Amino acid sequence: MRKLLFCVLSCVAVIPNAFGMDLSLNQAIEKIVSESNDIKRADANIKKAKAQLSAINANRWMSIDGTVSYMNLINVKHPTSSNGVEIPSDIGAILGSVLPLDAIPDNIFSAGVQITQPIYTFGKIGNAVDAVHDAIDMSKSAKDLTMREVKYAAANLYWTAKMTDEIVSASQRNLNNARAAKKKLTSAGRANRSNLIKIESDIASKEINLSDAEFNRDTAYRMLKIMAGIDIDEDLILVDNFPDKFAPLNAGKLKSNPEWDIYQKQIKMYESNASSKRSGAYPTLAAVGSYSYYSMGQDMGHMFDKEGSQSAYWGLALQVPLFNGGIHSANATMEAMNAESARQDLDKSKKLKTEEYDNAVSKYKHLCNNLGKLKKAHSLAQQAYDVSAKRFAAGQTSAVELSDVSGALYQMDMALLNAKYNILMSAESVKKLGE
């Protein structure tokens, strides 16, 4: 007895896993968001924009360039035996006071470092930095827009899969009703040929409907699993059901949208770029400094025995572009026109998104108002079927009438289910556009 009790408790303990994974709407959305390639791409774009900011900001700071070189001069006449290049006598006489050598050393070493620090660029760097800041904000708004789209798509996947569950159940009930009618007809011993043929036809048709519904359900579940990163062989139980009642939407006027934010930042970015391009025609003031070391020798091993030549300087440099063919003005004009194009896109987006948002709110209210009437119609269709089924059992009506009433009830099942789905997705549309 104790062994039997232990076995029973063990079976009860593993029942939840045996039935599959419970999945709520919020869990499905979280999983799909975490698996979304679009979200990951949006994160990468933000990191890319921040890296661009670092690259532009680097122009604010000093640049240090170092150069090291070694050269060995070759005596073309005697390349293997000479350690220097002989100086002709006439040239040696001229340079004798300067270079007290009869040959130029063939080992030459030089090293140097140069430092440049921009001081004032008349807006070339500052405006470019502002443009990249706007690009970063654009990337963040783009991620917000993508997040809303992904959440909407996730809700759509979930409720679509749930609806296919309900369609399978409705199709199974419809088929069971037809089979029950056949059983009553044959068991009563009054099955005439026309009624039997009609019921057999209904059963065959409803078996096809059920098969199609099961196929659509399996397809919807596979897509949900793929997008949520769930093993394709995992059994799912969608725990959230279609509600019977829907609360009024707390939706005011549409005041903001990520797409609008993108266009607004894009306008600012283009304007900053235009200012930066225009500043290319202005001077650049920078502090400069340099140090150089130079050494020569007949023998590589003794080249550094004597102190080499050194030089250094520091000062200010003003670089003034004198003529560039109008390239800076042309580039600035192109950026300004990009800004104007973005303004037109923003104006169009505001009109379209506002209309889409208002339509989603109106559709939600319209569908909610019709839901009560649809429920009443469904209840009447159910009553009509119940009456017809009793009359058919009593031999007071034909299989044709029962089939028509059964079909009408099935259509009302689909209409009610479709209405609930549309109400939920209208609410998701309002959330996507105006959250």
Side-chain angles (χ1 to χ4, degrees), residues 97-299:
S97 59
V98 180
L99 295 172
L101 300 169
D102 57 0
I104 299 175
D106 63 349
N107 294 293
I108 303 174
F109 173 81
S110 65
V113 61
Q114 185 172 2
I115 302 174
T116 303
Q117 171 63 60
I119 296 176
Y120 192 68
T121 62
F122 293 89
K124 284 191 286 289
I125 298 177
N127 287 314
V129 169
D130 291 340
V132 177
H133 275 297
D134 293 327
I136 293 174
D137 292 338
M138 283 174 55
S139 300
K140 292 178 179 178
S141 296
K143 180 182 178 180
D144 184 16
L145 181 63
T146 302
M147 182 70 74
R148 296 186 183 201
E149 293 288 350
V150 170
K151 287 183 177 181
Y152 177 85
N156 190 20
L157 283 172
Y158 188 90
W159 290 121
T160 298
K162 189 65 179 181
M163 185 166 66
T164 59
D165 269 342
E166 298 292 337
I167 292 175
V168 168
S169 297
S171 299
Q172 186 66 65
R173 288 195 304 269
N174 199 28
L175 176 59
N176 291 341
N177 290 338
R179 288 173 175 171
K182 177 185 176 182
K183 185 176 180 179
K184 291 177 182 179
L185 186 64
T186 55
S187 63
R190 54 179 181 81
N192 62 62
R193 184 173 179 80
S194 62
N195 279 340
L196 190 58
I197 291 175
K198 177 59 179 174
I199 291 180
E200 290 287 359
S201 175
D202 280 349
I203 290 175
S205 175
K206 291 172 182 179
E207 285 176 342
I208 294 174
N209 287 341
L210 177 60
S211 177
D212 289 342
E214 290 174 341
F215 175 81
N216 292 334
R217 178 198 59 193
D218 294 341
T219 301
Y221 268 70
R222 281 197 302 271
M223 182 58 67
L224 178 59
K225 292 175 185 177
I226 291 171
M227 299 306 294
I230 300 172
D231 188 271
I232 203 70
D233 296 324
E234 181 76 44
D235 290 331
L236 285 183
I237 300 174
L238 305 184
V239 297
D240 286 339
N241 297 315
F242 286 98
D244 290 326
K245 296 182 180 180
F246 296 88
L249 281 179
N250 185 19
K253 293 291 185 179
L254 182 60
K255 296 181 180 179
S256 65
N257 184 272
E259 187 172 299
W260 301 353
D261 296 336
I262 292 173
Y263 285 129
Q264 288 168 349
K265 294 299 181 181
Q266 193 175 46
I267 292 170
K268 291 182 63 179
M269 182 189 71
Y270 285 137
E271 289 176 342
S272 296
N273 279 335
S275 298
S276 179
K277 300 293 185 183
R278 195 176 295 110
S279 299
Y282 303 151
T284 297
L285 179 64
V288 295
S290 175
Y291 169 80
S292 299
Y293 174 84
Y294 189 82
S295 176
M296 298 187 299
Q298 295 283 354
D299 189 339

Side-chain angles (χ1 to χ4, degrees), residues 215-434:
F215 175 81
N216 292 334
R217 178 198 59 193
D218 294 341
T219 301
Y221 268 70
R222 281 197 302 271
M223 182 58 67
L224 178 59
K225 292 175 185 177
I226 291 171
M227 299 306 294
I230 300 172
D231 188 271
I232 203 70
D233 296 324
E234 181 76 44
D235 290 331
L236 285 183
I237 300 174
L238 305 184
V239 297
D240 286 339
N241 297 315
F242 286 98
D244 290 326
K245 296 182 180 180
F246 296 88
L249 281 179
N250 185 19
K253 293 291 185 179
L254 182 60
K255 296 181 180 179
S256 65
N257 184 272
E259 187 172 299
W260 301 353
D261 296 336
I262 292 173
Y263 285 129
Q264 288 168 349
K265 294 299 181 181
Q266 193 175 46
I267 292 170
K268 291 182 63 179
M269 182 189 71
Y270 285 137
E271 289 176 342
S272 296
N273 279 335
S275 298
S276 179
K277 300 293 185 183
R278 195 176 295 110
S279 299
Y282 303 151
T284 297
L285 179 64
V288 295
S290 175
Y291 169 80
S292 299
Y293 174 84
Y294 189 82
S295 176
M296 298 187 299
Q298 295 283 354
D299 189 339
M300 182 65 182
H302 297 85
M303 187 172 63
F304 298 103
D305 288 350
K306 296 182 179 180
E307 185 177 351
S309 174
Q310 301 183 67
S311 65
Y313 70 84
W314 70 270
L316 296 176
L318 185 66
Q319 182 182 5
V320 182
L322 298 178
F323 181 76
N324 50 46
I327 186 172
H328 299 299
S329 176
N331 287 335
T333 300
M334 287 190 290
E335 296 294 338
M337 293 304 99
N338 286 335
E340 180 59 29
S341 177
R343 285 192 189 91
Q344 299 304 319
D345 291 337
L346 174 60
D347 182 65
K348 180 180 179 181
S349 178
K350 284 185 175 181
K351 294 176 181 177
L352 293 179
K353 290 297 180 183
T354 300
E355 180 64 19
E356 186 179 353
Y357 175 82
D358 292 340
N359 284 340
V361 174
S362 299
K363 183 178 181 180
Y364 182 89
K365 294 178 180 179
H366 171 74
L367 292 173
C368 287
N369 290 335
N370 284 346
L371 185 61
K373 300 175 184 177
L374 194 57
K375 286 181 178 179
K376 183 178 181 180
H378 181 271
S379 177
L380 292 174
Q382 182 66 56
Q383 294 176 29
Y385 173 79
D386 293 339
V387 171
S388 182
K390 291 178 181 179
R391 294 181 63 214
F392 181 80
Q396 298 174 353
T397 187
S398 67
V400 174
E401 178 187 330
L402 182 63
S403 175
D404 291 341
V405 175
S406 176
L409 177 59
Y410 180 75
Q411 292 301 320
M412 290 305 303
D413 285 336
M414 296 299 101
L416 185 59
L417 181 61
N418 190 58
K420 290 181 178 181
Y421 168 81
N422 286 331
I423 291 174
L424 289 171
M425 295 315 300
S426 296
E428 292 294 335
S429 294
V430 173
K431 187 186 300 183
K432 178 184 71 171
L433 295 168

